[in-house]
Amino acid sequence: RTTYDVESVQQKWQQVWEKLDHFRADDDSPRDKRYALTMFPYPSGDLHMGHAEVFALHDVIARYWWQRGYEVLNPMGFDSFGLPAENAAIKNDEHPAVYTYGNIETSIASCRNYATSFDWSRSFNTSDPSYYKWTQWLFLKFMERGLAYRKNSPVNWCPADQTVLANEQVVDGHCERCGAEVTKRELTQWYFRITEYADELLADLDTLAPTWPDRVITAQRNWIGKSEGAHVDFDMSNGQRVTVYTTRPDTLWGATFMVVAADSKLATELVTPDRSAELAAYVAEVRKASDIDRLATDRPKTGVDLGVTATNPVTGEQLPVWASDYVLADYGTGAIMAVPAHDQRDLDFAREMRLPVRMVVDTGAEDPAVSFVATTGHGTYVNSGPLDGLTDKATGVHRAIEVLEAAQHGKGAVNFRLRDWLLSRQRYWGAPIPVIHCPVDGEVPVPEDQLPVLLPELKGADLKPKGTSPLGAAREWVETTCPTCGGPAERDTDTMDTFVDSSWYMFRYCSPHDDTQAFDSAKVNEWMPCDIYIGGVEHAVLHLLYARFFTKVLADMGLVDFREPFAAQLNQGFVINHGKKMSKSLGNGVRLGDQLAEFGVDAIRLTLVFAGPPEDDIDWANMSPDGSLRFLQRAWRLSGDVTSEPGADVTTGDLALRRVTARTVHDATELVEGYRFNVLVARVMELVNATRKAIDSGCGPADPAVREAVEAVAILLSLVAPYTAEEMWERLGHEPSVARAGWPAVDEALLVEESVTAVVQVQGKVRARLEVAPDISEVDLEAAALADEAVVRALEGKTVRKVIVRAPKLVNIVAG
Ligand code: ANZ
């Protein structure tokens, strides 16, 4: 036979593996433990090319760890609550549960066919009551700690999905899911107090930086957005005191007006009665715009003069107070001191509204009052009282804060861009928020022994988003009694953001079927933190920030003994086609099922792994899965050529081939651990070629070195092409499974490359020739030279004055 039948080989091994069950993680194993996690999918359809890529990459690591002798936890489940499933279910006119669980079955079957090494015995879905019971329990624990609370505030509203969105779910002003433009609404919603952990979430990024992708670290840093400056208090003509946040307190002498967020409560409080109608009309307009638009520097500046004035605390001047949309209600204090000379947006506003511009930092550039270009660089302070003449910004800021603190009109302050996490959703397919609203007792947590609060089935109900939760329609579910007073009360009808579900699933995998607790702390502490977490970079700030936050809270609750969930992380690139993201509208989608049917699982996996570094995008148009298949057949043919018996004494084998094998296995370790899987594949290809040559025109198929090489190929290939590797292993006369065969042993001596000759001279005369490794160090070469018998004799009675070493070729000894 010169080829194997892909389809029947796949069938055959799936059945064998099912019986072997050799990827089941044993909590009690004496081996060292490794936890390999890949982001679990939304079951919104069958697996696609993206899953194929990430699972192939992930499997290299998980299978490698098994081969290296670790006990590996490599679980998989489904993030089955949430909008994608719900929207798809509405479109197909099915209950989300039917749709979701149907897709889960399909996906599991596809994963098995794809030969992933997941431990399915630990699988669960976030929409299972046995899981969301504990999501609800965690919510109650957060509530107990004051980390879950309800408040009324302007929130991001997706008009298409008819639900609120967390800030993290708004991308460039649009809904992360559906792309609709996001607007603002004033609503009462549930929040997690993630801001309480802002400092730690930021600081701990430093500890993750060596093992997390740079772009994720940067995205989180920017998202947390720490800035330093000052709070400055302004006394208003109506007797109120208003605090602003500024990063440039040193420019206070140049503040010529003040601006408050038009849509803030503050604006309504400050506005004089004669202007309130104008303000209301303006706010109605503002609410239609997204934050991104509002902050854009090129946006025409609009606003309403509120009619009050503010006293500049250092100059005593009366400053006009305006409301405008370029100041955001939920950033800083929602009010700013405007310094038009040194802030372009303030300058544009001043120009539009004909407000004064006063330069207080002379940078040498033209006066902004004339050029209408704000200057932000270093310069000499002018018109700034006690700061005049200073030339350094840091000193200026420091001095200004001293002045403010002395006058009790402000103080140094830190500000974060991070907001609390809005977690309630007005949608059906999620974990109900376990709270009861009582007219007497207010917000009452559902007692723990009444969890889970089951999602009512709402059979046949219209789930189309209408802006209020569909759960409100289930009256017999909503109406309940207050756990505190026993009087009539109502259940909270919102459900939790699906990101709550995915913030703790990695803990659950450690004791997935425990119905007495969310997770077993002892087991979690054994397995976690996850040694590798693989997934899409699109989760850089959402899921990855939330999961870190949860871990820190759980640590503070004493439930886990670590504060970061993922020790290392890897983001895969996208699979694209003809340089473009695959999409239905472009008609360039590639169906995974078709590819697998045509080329087989191994060829597709190999193609995806071999395509390039894992982080790079893969353009499927440039790939040749048929080439991968040909290579796999070539590797497989080797296993049929070997004529020596298993266990043949390799030490007598062909040295040249043994060296190639040893070097390949040795380097493979470094390549896998450095995520250079594509290079690993290239090296296996070289080994296959070398072996073929040895068989056909070298030592011949009976040489034990050939067996050694082919066995190494099978084991290395088992990380990427499990079916082919298994088939090879069997043909080599071994029992299954190659996946647990163990990493090939490397004879270190074989790693020493062909030696080179080093000449040793004493007083200019050649006294010895040494055979040394080409990469010998100078120190080692000098020691070897001085230890050589002939050299020792030549040096008798002399003192060594100087040794000149030119590794690996020459040692020159000067003595006298
Ligand atoms: C006066 C000033 C002078 C400012 C100057 C800048 C330059 P970061 O670094 O992002 O924290 N700001 C404060 N609150 C705001 C809000 N709610 N909406 C819009 N802008 C706001 O930026 C802080 C700076 O952004 C603050 O410092 C404030 O403008 C503005 F030459 O105050 B600054």
Side-chain angles (χ1 to χ4, degrees):
R1 284 191 300 165
T2 56
T3 59
Y4 65 84
D5 175 36
V6 171
E7 185 57 36
S8 64
V9 160
Q10 289 180 185
Q11 296 285 341
K12 166 179 148 193
W13 288 111
Q14 274 172 48
Q15 283 171 19
V16 175
W17 293 335
E18 197 81 18
K19 283 207 200 76
L20 284 177
D21 197 14
H22 53 324
F23 294 125
R24 191 188 278 257
D26 177 5
D27 291 327
D28 304 319
S29 166
R31 298 152 168 252
D32 280 348
K33 293 189 165 65
R34 286 284 165 102
Y35 189 166
L37 188 62
T38 181
M39 292 178 185
F40 64 166
Y42 290 111
S44 47
D46 195 0
L47 301 185
H48 53 65
M49 290 301 285
H51 297 119
E53 182 200 10
V54 66
F55 292 169
L57 296 169
H58 174 81
D59 227 25
V60 173
I61 299 183
R63 287 171 173 273
Y64 167 76
W65 281 339
W66 279 119
Q67 296 286 31
R68 298 289 295 184
Y70 293 100
E71 189 69 22
V72 184
L73 175 55
N74 181 22
M76 179 48 64
F78 293 89
D79 195 8
S80 47
F81 265 148
L83 281 183
E86 183 168 340
N87 286 341
I90 291 169
K91 216 167 102 196
N92 304 335
D93 201 17
E94 258 176 350
H95 193 277
V98 175
Y99 177 84
T100 303
Y101 285 89
N103 284 337
I104 288 173
E105 261 180 57
T106 311
S107 299
I108 292 178
S110 298
C111 280
R112 287 189 197 270
N113 177 53
Y114 199 59
T116 55
S117 65
F118 297 128
D119 176 357
W120 289 104
S121 73
R122 293 181 184 246
S123 189
F124 57 77
N125 313 301
T126 55
S127 57
D128 301 341
S130 56
Y131 181 83
Y132 72 72
K133 167 180 181 172
W134 300 111
T135 307
Q136 292 174 333
W137 179 82
L138 285 166
F139 177 92
L140 295 179
K141 292 292 139 188
F142 276 49
M143 212 175 149
E144 251 171 47
R145 303 178 74 83
L147 293 172
Y149 67 96
R150 225 156 72 114
K151 77 169 175 194
N152 190 294
S153 75
V155 295
N156 303 307
W157 180 258
C158 173
D161 288 330
Q162 289 279 304
T163 189
V164 299
L165 299 172
N167 281 355
E168 288 83 351
Q169 289 167 315
V170 182
V171 178
D172 293 339
H174 293 84
C175 173
E176 178 230 357
R177 285 270 155 230
C178 73
E181 189 154 352
V182 173
T183 58
K184 289 269 177 181
R185 268 199 183 184
E186 185 91 21
L187 287 172
T188 301
Q189 299 288 330
W190 286 97
Y191 291 83
F192 280 144
R193 212 180 290 281
I194 190 172
T195 51
E196 193 158 312
Y197 287 81
D199 253 321
E200 193 193 336
L201 286 167
L202 181 68
D204 285 354
L205 286 175
D206 292 341
T207 67
L208 299 174
T211 47
W212 276 39
D214 287 346
R215 50 184 172 173
V216 175
I217 298 281
T218 307
Q220 294 216 356
R221 273 203 187 109
N222 292 340
W223 188 260
I224 297 167
K226 181 177 182 169
S227 75
E228 285 176 55
H231 279 145
V232 184
D233 305 326
F234 287 79
D235 291 322
M236 315 300 280
S237 54
N238 71 355
Q240 244 176 294
R241 195 168 238 219
V242 172
T243 303
V244 305
Y245 173 72
T246 176
T247 43
R248 296 294 306 272
D250 55 320
T251 61
L252 181 51
W253 285 262
T256 53
F257 57 99
M258 194 167 155
V259 186
V260 302
D263 52 341
S264 63
K265 228 200 245 132
L266 185 59
T268 340
E269 282 168 18
L270 291 174
V271 69
T272 53
D274 56 318
R275 319 235 169 175
S276 64
E278 195 190 337
L279 176 66
Y282 179 62
V283 170
E285 277 307 303
V286 168
R287 287 212 192 279
K288 292 182 192 155
S290 68
D291 284 2
I292 295 280
D293 288 341
R294 289 176 57 167
L295 285 173
T297 36
D298 55 1
R299 183 176 166 85
K301 293 290 175 284
T302 53
V304 174
D305 185 342
L306 294 178
V308 280
T309 58
T311 308
N312 183 323
V314 291
T315 65
E317 283 170 299
Q318 292 302 303
L319 312 181
V321 180
W322 285 70
S324 173
D325 64 354
Y326 81 96
V327 172
L328 301 179
D330 55 1
Y331 187 75
T333 63
I336 65 155
M337 61 182 222
V339 185
H342 306 296
D343 182 292
Q344 192 61 45
R345 280 173 303 164
D346 295 346
L347 184 54
D348 294 340
F349 192 84
R351 188 177 190 183
E352 189 65 39
M353 307 303 172
R354 304 185 176 285
L355 294 161
V357 177
R358 185 191 308 140
M359 182 173 84
V360 287
V361 181
D362 186 355
T363 62
E366 195 178 348
D367 188 340
V370 180
S371 65
F372 288 110
V373 176
T375 58
T376 55
H378 282 270
T380 308
Y381 288 93
V382 293
N383 303 321
S384 295
L387 270 57
D388 278 351
L390 294 179
T391 53
D392 174 59
K393 202 194 247 177
T395 315
V397 169
H398 187 75
R399 185 74 56 84
I401 291 174
E402 277 176 359
V403 171
L404 284 168
E405 285 179 351
Q408 299 202 326
H409 257 284
K411 53 180 184 312
V414 175
N415 191 57
F416 289 93
R417 190 173 162 253
L418 184 69
R419 303 286 81 164
D420 277 342
W421 169 10
L422 195 173
L423 72 106
S424 41
R425 295 290 178 275
Q426 292 66 56
R427 296 294 298 253
Y428 170 70
W429 194 233
I433 289 175
V435 169
I436 290 167
H437 299 279
C438 169
V440 181
D441 298 298
E443 290 157 8
V444 183
V446 171
E448 275 179 37
D449 61 5
Q450 289 175 27
L451 296 181
V453 176
L454 285 173
L455 191 58
E457 236 182 273
L458 288 188
K459 270 247 164 73
D462 178 14
L463 297 179
K464 282 206 191 65
K466 289 172 282 298
T468 55
S469 178
L471 290 184
R475 291 315 299 173
E476 67 288 8
W477 179 86
V478 173
E479 285 160 19
T480 183
T481 50
C482 169
T484 307
C485 70
E490 298 205 340
R491 291 191 187 281
D492 199 296
T493 56
D494 285 353
T495 51
M496 290 188 230
D497 181 4
T498 172
F499 281 106
V500 181
D501 309 328
S502 55
S503 290
W504 72 280
Y505 77 115
M506 56 282 185
F507 299 98
R508 183 73 181 165
Y509 283 136
C510 300
S511 55
H513 309 303
D514 191 337
D515 56 11
T516 66
Q517 53 190 338
F519 53 83
D520 181 326
S521 292
K523 287 184 178 164
V524 164
N525 289 333
E526 273 277 302
W527 287 109
M528 289 188 71
C530 297
D531 297 283
I532 185 77
Y533 195 30
I534 302 193
V537 74
E538 67 273 18
H539 291 299
V541 285
L542 287 140
H543 165 55
L544 287 170
L545 189 66
Y546 295 152
R548 296 182 59 221
F549 162 58
F550 259 62
T551 305
K552 292 177 189 306
V553 176
L554 295 173
D556 284 343
M557 286 166 66
L559 292 179
V560 300
D561 64 9
F562 50 90
R563 303 192 71 85
E564 286 289 342
F566 312 120
Q569 211 206 123
L570 179 62
N571 299 138
Q572 80 280 8
F574 289 104
V575 187
I576 55 177
N577 197 20
H578 293 287
K580 296 201 180 67
K581 225 179 138 174
M582 292 188 196
S583 80
K584 276 206 187 105
S585 58
L586 289 174
N588 68 339
V590 175
R591 289 166 54 103
L592 175 62
D594 296 347
Q595 297 293 314
L596 295 177
E598 189 171 352
F599 303 103
V601 168
D602 281 0
I604 297 305
R605 289 174 59 129
L606 186 91
T607 304
L608 289 163
V609 172
F610 187 47
E615 314 81 40
D616 288 6
D617 290 348
I618 298 173
D619 193 338
W620 198 251
N622 300 336
M623 296 298 122
S624 61
D626 49 335
S628 298
L629 182 55
R630 277 198 304 276
F631 161 70
L632 290 170
Q633 302 279 14
R634 202 157 66 238
W636 171 83
R637 275 198 299 276
L638 293 178
S639 62
D641 289 350
V642 174
T643 53
S644 59
E645 290 301 310
D649 179 11
V650 288
T651 55
T652 61
D654 179 73
L655 208 56
L657 182 59
R658 294 205 68 209
R659 284 212 166 99
V660 180
T661 306
R663 180 55 64 188
T664 306
V665 173
H666 173 266
D667 292 356
T669 306
E670 233 165 76
L671 292 170
V672 176
E673 284 169 13
Y675 312 140
R676 297 169 65 206
F677 313 137
N678 56 321
V679 183
L680 169 75
V681 172
R683 296 295 301 279
V684 177
M685 289 175 171
E686 283 168 26
L687 179 56
V688 166
N689 290 342
T691 314
R692 171 51 57 204
K693 231 166 116 191
I695 294 173
D696 292 348
S697 56
C699 57
D703 192 298
V706 169
R707 165 168 286 276
E708 184 184 39
V710 181
E711 289 187 350
V713 168
I715 292 170
L716 295 177
L717 268 187
S718 77
L719 312 187
V720 186
Y723 290 112
T724 311
E726 206 72 88
E727 197 65 15
M728 287 176 72
W729 198 242
E730 187 182 56
R731 297 225 297 173
L732 286 164
H734 294 293
E735 291 290 310
S737 163
V738 68
R740 297 295 301 274
W743 199 245
V746 174
D747 181 350
E748 295 284 325
L750 294 169
L751 298 175
V752 180
E753 277 176 40
E754 251 83 303
S755 58
V756 293
T757 308
V759 171
V760 187
Q761 296 182 328
V762 178
Q763 307 294 71
K765 251 196 206 149
V766 176
R767 295 289 182 183
R769 287 193 160 78
L770 306 174
E771 290 302 304
V772 298
D775 59 349
I776 192 167
S777 69
E778 299 206 334
V779 179
D780 288 349
L781 182 55
E782 176 175 337
L786 291 171
D788 183 87
E789 256 180 61
V791 175
V792 169
R793 243 180 286 121
L795 286 172
E796 229 156 75
K798 300 196 179 78
T799 350
V800 175
R801 304 217 177 279
K802 200 170 172 189
V803 184
I804 300 153
V805 188
R806 296 276 174 274
K809 291 258 163 80
L810 179 77
V811 181
N812 199 347
I813 302 169
V814 184

